[in-house]
mmCIF file of all heavy atoms in Angstrom:
data_model
loop_
_atom_site.group_PDB
_atom_site.id
_atom_site.type_symbol
_atom_site.label_atom_id
_atom_site.label_comp_id
_atom_site.label_asym_id
_atom_site.label_seq_id
_atom_site.Cartn_x
_atom_site.Cartn_y
_atom_site.Cartn_z
ATOM 1 N N LEU Y 1 0.829 -1.210 -0.002
ATOM 2 C CA LEU Y 1 -0.011 0.008 0.014
ATOM 3 C C LEU Y 1 0.880 1.258 0.016
ATOM 4 O O LEU Y 1 2.089 1.192 0.124
ATOM 5 C CB LEU Y 1 -0.933 0.008 1.202
ATOM 6 C CG LEU Y 1 -0.355 -0.247 2.613
ATOM 7 C CD1 LEU Y 1 0.298 1.004 3.191
ATOM 8 C CD2 LEU Y 1 -1.432 -0.735 3.554
ATOM 9 N N THR Y 2 0.193 2.387 -0.131
ATOM 10 C CA THR Y 2 0.861 3.695 -0.070
ATOM 11 C C THR Y 2 0.336 4.457 1.148
ATOM 12 O O THR Y 2 -0.888 4.454 1.401
ATOM 13 C CB THR Y 2 0.606 4.530 -1.341
ATOM 14 O OG1 THR Y 2 1.170 3.841 -2.451
ATOM 15 C CG2 THR Y 2 1.226 5.904 -1.227
ATOM 16 N N VAL Y 3 1.219 5.079 1.881
ATOM 17 C CA VAL Y 3 0.858 5.848 3.066
ATOM 18 C C VAL Y 3 1.182 7.310 2.843
ATOM 19 O O VAL Y 3 2.267 7.665 2.388
ATOM 20 C CB VAL Y 3 1.604 5.344 4.339
ATOM 21 C CG1 VAL Y 3 1.232 6.195 5.537
ATOM 22 C CG2 VAL Y 3 1.290 3.879 4.577
ATOM 23 N N VAL Y 4 0.189 8.169 3.149
ATOM 24 C CA VAL Y 4 0.390 9.612 3.059
ATOM 25 C C VAL Y 4 0.190 10.201 4.451
ATOM 26 O O VAL Y 4 -0.862 10.012 5.082
ATOM 27 C CB VAL Y 4 -0.621 10.285 2.087
ATOM 28 C CG1 VAL Y 4 -0.351 11.790 1.988
ATOM 29 C CG2 VAL Y 4 -0.534 9.633 0.728
ATOM 30 N N ASP Y 5 1.217 10.890 4.976
ATOM 31 C CA ASP Y 5 1.171 11.461 6.323
ATOM 32 C C ASP Y 5 1.105 12.973 6.220
ATOM 33 O O ASP Y 5 1.923 13.582 5.508
ATOM 34 C CB ASP Y 5 2.414 11.031 7.110
ATOM 35 C CG ASP Y 5 2.353 11.438 8.558
ATOM 36 O OD1 ASP Y 5 1.220 11.582 9.094
ATOM 37 O OD2 ASP Y 5 3.417 11.675 9.162
ATOM 38 N N VAL Y 6 0.139 13.585 6.904
ATOM 39 C CA VAL Y 6 -0.033 15.037 6.859
ATOM 40 C C VAL Y 6 0.540 15.645 8.129
ATOM 41 O O VAL Y 6 0.233 15.181 9.237
ATOM 42 C CB VAL Y 6 -1.524 15.420 6.734
ATOM 43 C CG1 VAL Y 6 -1.681 16.939 6.636
ATOM 44 C CG2 VAL Y 6 -2.152 14.749 5.519
ATOM 45 N N ASN Y 7 1.374 16.680 7.970
ATOM 46 C CA ASN Y 7 2.001 17.327 9.128
ATOM 47 C C ASN Y 7 1.862 18.838 9.055
ATOM 48 O O ASN Y 7 1.862 19.400 7.944
ATOM 49 C CB ASN Y 7 3.509 16.978 9.174
ATOM 50 C CG ASN Y 7 3.739 15.492 9.311
ATOM 51 O OD1 ASN Y 7 3.741 14.945 10.403
ATOM 52 N ND2 ASN Y 7 3.945 14.834 8.176
ATOM 53 N N THR Y 8 1.763 19.514 10.219
ATOM 54 C CA THR Y 8 1.643 20.979 10.244
ATOM 55 C C THR Y 8 2.949 21.654 9.856
ATOM 56 O O THR Y 8 2.955 22.781 9.332
ATOM 57 C CB THR Y 8 1.215 21.476 11.611
ATOM 58 O OG1 THR Y 8 2.118 20.951 12.598
ATOM 59 C CG2 THR Y 8 -0.203 21.059 11.940
ATOM 60 N N GLY Y 9 4.086 20.999 10.113
ATOM 61 C CA GLY Y 9 5.391 21.552 9.724
ATOM 62 C C GLY Y 9 5.640 22.924 10.298
ATOM 63 O O GLY Y 9 5.565 23.145 11.504
ATOM 64 N N ARG Y 10 5.909 23.902 9.413
ATOM 65 C CA ARG Y 10 6.229 25.263 9.870
ATOM 66 C C ARG Y 10 4.980 26.090 10.148
ATOM 67 O O ARG Y 10 5.063 27.228 10.587
ATOM 68 C CB ARG Y 10 7.096 25.970 8.803
ATOM 69 C CG ARG Y 10 8.469 25.343 8.618
ATOM 70 C CD ARG Y 10 9.384 26.251 7.821
ATOM 71 N NE ARG Y 10 8.893 26.404 6.442
ATOM 72 C CZ ARG Y 10 9.454 25.781 5.399
ATOM 73 N NH1 ARG Y 10 10.473 24.962 5.591
ATOM 74 N NH2 ARG Y 10 8.999 25.967 4.187
ATOM 75 N N TYR Y 11 3.788 25.523 9.813
ATOM 76 C CA TYR Y 11 2.566 26.298 9.980
ATOM 77 C C TYR Y 11 2.110 26.204 11.427
ATOM 78 O O TYR Y 11 1.818 25.116 11.923
ATOM 79 C CB TYR Y 11 1.473 25.772 9.039
ATOM 80 C CG TYR Y 11 0.165 26.511 9.131
ATOM 81 C CD1 TYR Y 11 0.113 27.901 8.904
ATOM 82 C CD2 TYR Y 11 -1.006 25.848 9.479
ATOM 83 C CE1 TYR Y 11 -1.069 28.579 9.009
ATOM 84 C CE2 TYR Y 11 -2.217 26.539 9.561
ATOM 85 C CZ TYR Y 11 -2.241 27.899 9.341
ATOM 86 O OH TYR Y 11 -3.431 28.586 9.427
ATOM 87 N N VAL Y 12 2.063 27.357 12.132
ATOM 88 C CA VAL Y 12 1.673 27.361 13.543
ATOM 89 C C VAL Y 12 0.336 28.050 13.794
ATOM 90 O O VAL Y 12 -0.125 28.147 14.924
ATOM 91 C CB VAL Y 12 2.768 28.046 14.401
ATOM 92 C CG1 VAL Y 12 4.046 27.224 14.382
ATOM 93 C CG2 VAL Y 12 3.036 29.472 13.921
ATOM 94 N N GLY Y 13 -0.302 28.544 12.721
ATOM 95 C CA GLY Y 13 -1.616 29.190 12.860
ATOM 96 C C GLY Y 13 -1.519 30.474 13.634
ATOM 97 O O GLY Y 13 -0.459 31.119 13.716
ATOM 98 N N LYS Y 14 -2.646 30.862 14.250
ATOM 99 C CA LYS Y 14 -2.691 32.111 14.995
ATOM 100 C C LYS Y 14 -2.926 31.857 16.481
ATOM 101 O O LYS Y 14 -2.015 31.877 17.284
ATOM 102 C CB LYS Y 14 -3.751 33.044 14.412
ATOM 103 C CG LYS Y 14 -3.398 33.505 12.992
ATOM 104 C CD LYS Y 14 -4.420 34.489 12.445
ATOM 105 C CE LYS Y 14 -4.024 34.949 11.026
ATOM 106 N NZ LYS Y 14 -5.016 35.875 10.455
ATOM 107 N N ASN Y 15 -4.181 31.598 16.854
ATOM 108 C CA ASN Y 15 -4.425 31.402 18.303
ATOM 109 C C ASN Y 15 -5.403 30.281 18.562
ATOM 110 O O ASN Y 15 -5.891 30.139 19.675
ATOM 111 C CB ASN Y 15 -4.913 32.693 18.930
ATOM 112 C CG ASN Y 15 -6.144 33.245 18.194
ATOM 113 O OD1 ASN Y 15 -6.742 32.544 17.393
ATOM 114 N ND2 ASN Y 15 -6.473 34.499 18.483
ATOM 115 N N ASN Y 16 -5.706 29.424 17.538
ATOM 116 C CA ASN Y 16 -6.682 28.373 17.744
ATOM 117 C C ASN Y 16 -6.119 27.069 17.149
ATOM 118 O O ASN Y 16 -5.943 26.957 15.931
ATOM 119 C CB ASN Y 16 -7.989 28.749 17.035
ATOM 120 C CG ASN Y 16 -9.107 27.762 17.335
ATOM 121 O OD1 ASN Y 16 -8.932 26.560 17.170
ATOM 122 N ND2 ASN Y 16 -10.267 28.283 17.729
ATOM 123 N N LEU Y 17 -5.835 26.100 18.015
ATOM 124 C CA LEU Y 17 -5.208 24.873 17.571
ATOM 125 C C LEU Y 17 -6.092 24.097 16.600
ATOM 126 O O LEU Y 17 -5.648 23.603 15.564
ATOM 127 C CB LEU Y 17 -4.891 23.975 18.782
ATOM 128 C CG LEU Y 17 -4.360 22.580 18.474
ATOM 129 C CD1 LEU Y 17 -3.055 22.639 17.716
ATOM 130 C CD2 LEU Y 17 -4.201 21.763 19.768
ATOM 131 N N ASN Y 18 -7.397 23.982 16.936
ATOM 132 C CA ASN Y 18 -8.328 23.241 16.063
ATOM 133 C C ASN Y 18 -8.374 23.856 14.662
ATOM 134 O O ASN Y 18 -8.425 23.118 13.666
ATOM 135 C CB ASN Y 18 -9.737 23.205 16.691
ATOM 136 C CG ASN Y 18 -9.791 22.307 17.884
ATOM 137 O OD1 ASN Y 18 -8.976 21.395 18.048
ATOM 138 N ND2 ASN Y 18 -10.743 22.576 18.799
ATOM 139 N N LYS Y 19 -8.376 25.168 14.596
ATOM 140 C CA LYS Y 19 -8.411 25.834 13.283
ATOM 141 C C LYS Y 19 -7.148 25.610 12.509
ATOM 142 O O LYS Y 19 -7.131 25.411 11.290
ATOM 143 C CB LYS Y 19 -8.669 27.320 13.459
ATOM 144 C CG LYS Y 19 -8.959 28.037 12.154
ATOM 145 C CD LYS Y 19 -9.431 29.455 12.361
ATOM 146 C CE LYS Y 19 -9.750 30.091 11.019
ATOM 147 N NZ LYS Y 19 -10.199 31.503 11.173
ATOM 148 N N THR Y 20 -5.988 25.601 13.219
ATOM 149 C CA THR Y 20 -4.700 25.353 12.571
ATOM 150 C C THR Y 20 -4.693 23.955 11.949
ATOM 151 O O THR Y 20 -4.289 23.771 10.787
ATOM 152 C CB THR Y 20 -3.562 25.461 13.600
ATOM 153 O OG1 THR Y 20 -3.558 26.757 14.159
ATOM 154 C CG2 THR Y 20 -2.201 25.175 12.946
ATOM 155 N N ILE Y 21 -5.187 22.975 12.704
ATOM 156 C CA ILE Y 21 -5.210 21.594 12.211
ATOM 157 C C ILE Y 21 -6.175 21.446 11.035
ATOM 158 O O ILE Y 21 -5.832 20.850 10.019
ATOM 159 C CB ILE Y 21 -5.627 20.638 13.355
ATOM 160 C CG1 ILE Y 21 -4.510 20.572 14.420
ATOM 161 C CG2 ILE Y 21 -5.953 19.245 12.820
ATOM 162 C CD1 ILE Y 21 -4.897 19.829 15.677
ATOM 163 N N PHE Y 22 -7.381 22.055 11.168
ATOM 164 C CA PHE Y 22 -8.356 21.961 10.116
ATOM 165 C C PHE Y 22 -7.863 22.607 8.829
ATOM 166 O O PHE Y 22 -8.021 22.053 7.720
ATOM 167 C CB PHE Y 22 -9.675 22.619 10.573
ATOM 168 C CG PHE Y 22 -10.771 22.533 9.545
ATOM 169 C CD1 PHE Y 22 -11.429 21.329 9.288
ATOM 170 C CD2 PHE Y 22 -11.170 23.675 8.841
ATOM 171 C CE1 PHE Y 22 -12.430 21.254 8.348
ATOM 172 C CE2 PHE Y 22 -12.184 23.596 7.894
ATOM 173 C CZ PHE Y 22 -12.800 22.404 7.635
ATOM 174 N N THR Y 23 -7.235 23.763 8.953
ATOM 175 C CA THR Y 23 -6.718 24.481 7.764
ATOM 176 C C THR Y 23 -5.640 23.662 7.050
ATOM 177 O O THR Y 23 -5.622 23.554 5.827
ATOM 178 C CB THR Y 23 -6.121 25.844 8.182
ATOM 179 O OG1 THR Y 23 -7.156 26.616 8.820
ATOM 180 C CG2 THR Y 23 -5.599 26.606 6.970
ATOM 181 N N THR Y 24 -4.738 23.051 7.831
ATOM 182 C CA THR Y 24 -3.676 22.214 7.249
ATOM 183 C C THR Y 24 -4.274 20.999 6.532
ATOM 184 O O THR Y 24 -3.890 20.667 5.413
ATOM 185 C CB THR Y 24 -2.706 21.737 8.345
ATOM 186 O OG1 THR Y 24 -2.203 22.866 9.047
ATOM 187 C CG2 THR Y 24 -1.530 20.976 7.709
ATOM 188 N N ASN Y 25 -5.239 20.336 7.165
ATOM 189 C CA ASN Y 25 -5.864 19.161 6.553
ATOM 190 C C ASN Y 25 -6.599 19.528 5.269
ATOM 191 O O ASN Y 25 -6.528 18.785 4.264
ATOM 192 C CB ASN Y 25 -6.841 18.525 7.543
ATOM 193 C CG ASN Y 25 -6.143 17.672 8.595
ATOM 194 O OD1 ASN Y 25 -5.036 17.224 8.384
ATOM 195 N ND2 ASN Y 25 -6.808 17.434 9.703
ATOM 196 N N MET Y 26 -7.314 20.627 5.259
ATOM 197 C CA MET Y 26 -8.089 21.045 4.086
ATOM 198 C C MET Y 26 -7.141 21.407 2.918
ATOM 199 O O MET Y 26 -7.438 21.115 1.752
ATOM 200 C CB MET Y 26 -8.999 22.216 4.405
ATOM 201 C CG MET Y 26 -10.159 21.858 5.315
ATOM 202 S SD MET Y 26 -11.315 20.656 4.566
ATOM 203 C CE MET Y 26 -12.222 21.720 3.469
ATOM 204 N N GLU Y 27 -5.999 21.984 3.247
ATOM 205 C CA GLU Y 27 -5.037 22.291 2.189
ATOM 206 C C GLU Y 27 -4.425 20.991 1.665
ATOM 207 O O GLU Y 27 -4.177 20.848 0.463
ATOM 208 C CB GLU Y 27 -3.941 23.212 2.720
ATOM 209 C CG GLU Y 27 -2.999 23.678 1.635
ATOM 210 C CD GLU Y 27 -1.871 24.558 2.141
ATOM 211 O OE1 GLU Y 27 -1.754 24.738 3.380
ATOM 212 O OE2 GLU Y 27 -1.081 25.037 1.316
ATOM 213 N N ALA Y 28 -4.212 20.048 2.579
ATOM 214 C CA ALA Y 28 -3.601 18.779 2.179
ATOM 215 C C ALA Y 28 -4.516 17.988 1.245
ATOM 216 O O ALA Y 28 -4.049 17.252 0.363
ATOM 217 C CB ALA Y 28 -3.283 17.931 3.419
#
């Protein structure tokens, strides 16, 4: 199989962790 792992990397968002995660996932 193929595995794709999504990471926030250098993106730290602003002041909301959930929004940072959601934004990264949606871009991915």
Side-chain angles (χ1 to χ4, degrees):
L1 50 80
T2 297
V3 178
V4 182
D5 186 28
V6 182
N7 299 275
T8 53
R10 294 193 293 257
Y11 181 57
V12 295
K14 293 183 179 179
N15 54 13
N16 187 310
L17 174 62
N18 288 336
K19 189 171 182 180
T20 300
I21 291 172
F22 181 72
T23 301
T24 305
N25 281 339
M26 290 297 282
E27 187 182 5

